[in-house]
């Protein structure tokens, strides 16, 4: 594929990922509001159970299916510049030290989730060249798009979301449908 076309494709995918991350953050925030309303309305029906399963749904990060080997190669380059042990003898301010340690922690979390796009973003922020790892990472970026989209859809398919986004005049009908589908009515 033409270098310029490949670069534009990557740029488009990275922006789509940034948009989806923001949408996921917004969806998680709205979901928390919906869950609070759901807990209040349905508390009596779940006396021995709680909706902590719903809370788990919102806090989980999307999991990606990207080869850990490739992610680890980039992470090792990031760790060379951000690992706390590597920073001890460097003449940097406390603020810069904290920022780099935070980047290290975020990169580590991204590696655990095999989040290629975020690992690459961190590497780019640090000025690290990763062209030797993967020249066409479109498949990995597409995987990130799918994972983020799936997580958003998962949240929006919960009973709490449906309840929280139901107009007041339709709530009684929706409540009966939820109770019936849960076998509580």
């Amino acid at each position: 594929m033409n270098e310029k076309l490949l670069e534009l494709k990557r740029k488009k995918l990275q922006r789509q990922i940034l948009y989806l991350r923001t949408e996921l953050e917004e969806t998680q925030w709205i979901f928390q509001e919906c869950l609070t309303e759901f807990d209040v309305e349905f508390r009596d029906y779940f006396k021995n159970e709680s909706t902590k399963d719903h809370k788990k749904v919102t806090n989980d990060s999307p999991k990606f299916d990207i080869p850990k080997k490739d992610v680890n190669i980039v992470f090792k380059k990031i760790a060379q510049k951000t690992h706390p042990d590597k920073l001890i003898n460097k003449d940097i301010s406390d603020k810069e030290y904290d920022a780099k340690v935070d980047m290290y922690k975020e990169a580590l979390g991204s590696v655990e989730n095999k989040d290629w796009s975020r690992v690459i973003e961190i590497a780019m922020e640090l000025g690290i060249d990763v062209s030797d790892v993967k020249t066409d990472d479109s498949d990995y970026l597409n995987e990130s798009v799918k994972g983020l989209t799936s997580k958003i859809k998962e949240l929006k398919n919960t009973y709490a979301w449906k309840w929280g986004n139901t107009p007041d005049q339709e709530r009684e009908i929706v409540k009966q449908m939820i109770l019936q589908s849960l076998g509580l009515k």
Side-chain angles (χ1 to χ4, degrees), residues 17-69:
I17 290 165
L18 182 60
Y19 171 82
L20 287 169
R21 279 199 180 119
T22 305
E23 185 175 350
L24 176 59
E25 186 178 345
E26 177 187 41
T27 302
Q28 288 172 324
W29 189 87
I30 293 169
F31 176 80
Q32 286 300 327
E33 297 291 314
C34 293
L35 186 58
T36 300
E37 283 184 45
F38 184 83
D39 282 344
V40 168
E41 185 65 32
F42 290 84
R43 180 179 310 139
D44 293 340
Y45 297 98
F46 298 102
K47 287 182 179 152
N48 296 327
E49 301 173 33
S50 79
T51 53
K52 63 184 164 199
D53 290 341
H54 285 293
K55 291 175 182 153
K56 181 179 172 272
V57 167
T58 190
N59 293 327
D60 288 346
S61 297
K63 303 290 187 230
F64 303 102
D65 190 25
I66 296 167
K68 197 158 186 154
K69 176 185 158 232

Side-chain angles (χ1 to χ4, degrees), residues 140-153:
Y140 294 173
L141 296 173
N142 278 318
E143 184 69 32
S144 294
V145 167
K146 282 193 276 183
L148 290 164
T149 302
S150 174
K151 185 65 180 175
I152 292 165
K153 186 177 179 180

Side-chain angles (χ1 to χ4, degrees), residues 120-160:
I120 293 301
E121 284 175 27
I122 294 168
M124 287 171 37
E125 287 175 37
L126 293 167
I128 297 171
D129 179 26
V130 294
S131 60
D132 60 326
V133 180
K134 189 87 172 144
T135 52
D136 182 4
D137 60 355
S138 301
D139 290 342
Y140 294 173
L141 296 173
N142 278 318
E143 184 69 32
S144 294
V145 167
K146 282 193 276 183
L148 290 164
T149 302
S150 174
K151 185 65 180 175
I152 292 165
K153 186 177 179 180
E154 178 185 351
L155 289 170
K156 289 183 175 182
N157 281 327
T158 62
Y159 289 127

Side-chain angles (χ1 to χ4, degrees), residues 21 61-64 66 68 71-72 75 78 102-122 144:
R21 279 199 180 119
S61 297
K63 303 290 187 230
F64 303 102
I66 296 167
K68 197 158 186 154
V71 176
N72 280 339
F75 176 70
I78 292 170
D102 287 345
M103 288 177 108
Y104 173 80
K105 290 175 184 176
E106 186 174 357
L108 184 60
S110 297
V111 166
E112 289 170 3
N113 290 331
K114 299 183 201 172
D115 185 351
W116 177 261
S117 63
R118 186 59 192 136
V119 172
I120 293 301
E121 284 175 27
I122 294 168
S144 294

